[in-house]
Amino acid sequence: MDGSLENPLAAAVLVAAFLVLAPLSLTVLREGRSGDPFTWLEVLGRYGLIVTWAFVAPLAVANHLRPETLLWLFGPEVGDGGLAEYATVAAWACAAILAARLALVTQGWERALYALAAAGAFVLFGEEISWGQWLFNWGSPAFFAENNLQSETNAHNFFPPEVFDAAYAIAGLIIAGLVGMLRFGRGLGPIVTALRQWPPARWIGHSRHGVPLAFSAAVLMQHHMFQEVAEMALSLAVLYALWWTVSRAALGRPVEFAPA
């Protein structure tokens, strides 16, 4: 997993993931099981998919073939910036706030899961902005300056690119498996049945656009050239799930699962 177009393994997994998940995404879209009166959620899902596949993903290929020609969208290879990364940062920040809000109004294991989601989204937000470094331009402490691959104040750039690419690809496959299991996995046992009752998981069974967004992130995570696009799609899918859950909770609406 070296992230190059010539790597046959990365290319094969990318194509295989697309061929499997694209039909499943189309199946969910064609069901028309939206049922959501929340206009902004529909806008987020619909245009998130359109922007991801019609514009940002093709431009990521162009940027990979001619490096750093689209700095305004993807930022430099070494460093941070670009509209895609700013969108990701904003999405993780909003997701952390929504998850924290849900943690405050729930109890027991649900509160623990929302608290964990809030902490995870906050960490991803912090890592994306190097904990404020690329917003406020402070210098890195000596340890980070000497050991971080980009001399930034973050944890993820301590890992070599090939390790990071492999981890992304594996994480993408895990995400695809989890989302597919929760959406199509009725009758897979008591653990899956229990997970499917958690409100954000119920969103997977109900949402028309969020599942294709999550699958899009899983596909795009299979290749280094789509890294920024994958991060954006994943953050939007998580934000979509939490926003949907908060909206449903505020209106006291029950949610029924779509048939598996």
Side-chain angles (χ1 to χ4, degrees), residues 112-133:
L113 286 177
Y114 287 127
L116 184 62
F122 178 75
V123 168
L124 290 169
F125 163 74
E127 283 288 301
E128 284 292 334
I129 62 172
S130 295
W131 299 99
Q133 185 174 25

Side-chain angles (χ1 to χ4, degrees), residues 185-212:
R186 175 173 290 183
L188 288 182
I191 295 178
V192 175
T193 300
L195 282 175
R196 293 180 94 222
Q197 302 310 308
W198 189 40
R202 285 175 174 248
W203 157 81
I204 291 173
H206 189 274
S207 167
R208 183 179 179 184
H209 299 103
V211 170

Side-chain angles (χ1 to χ4, degrees), residues 54-147:
F55 299 101
V56 187
L59 289 175
V61 177
N63 190 65
H64 189 81
L65 295 174
R66 301 190 59 167
E68 301 198 356
T69 56
L70 296 168
L71 293 177
W72 62 273
L73 182 57
F74 299 110
E77 181 67 22
V78 178
D80 298 290
L83 288 178
E85 188 146 17
Y86 282 113
T88 302
V89 167
W92 284 129
C94 292
I97 293 170
L98 291 179
R101 176 181 173 183
L102 287 165
L104 291 174
V105 298
T106 51
Q107 301 292 330
W109 66 271
E110 278 196 86
R111 169 171 286 183
L113 286 177
Y114 287 127
L116 184 62
F122 178 75
V123 168
L124 290 169
F125 163 74
E127 283 288 301
E128 284 292 334
I129 62 172
S130 295
W131 299 99
Q133 185 174 25
W134 63 265
L135 292 178
F136 303 106
N137 298 312
W138 63 60
S140 295
F143 174 79
F144 289 92
E146 295 172 5
N147 297 285

Side-chain angles (χ1 to χ4, degrees), residues 227-250:
Q227 178 180 327
E228 299 296 339
V229 195
E231 291 174 353
M232 183 185 73
L234 180 60
S235 63
L236 286 176
V238 173
L239 175 59
Y240 192 115
L242 292 168
W243 191 352
W244 183 89
T245 303
V246 167
S247 300
R248 286 278 162 176

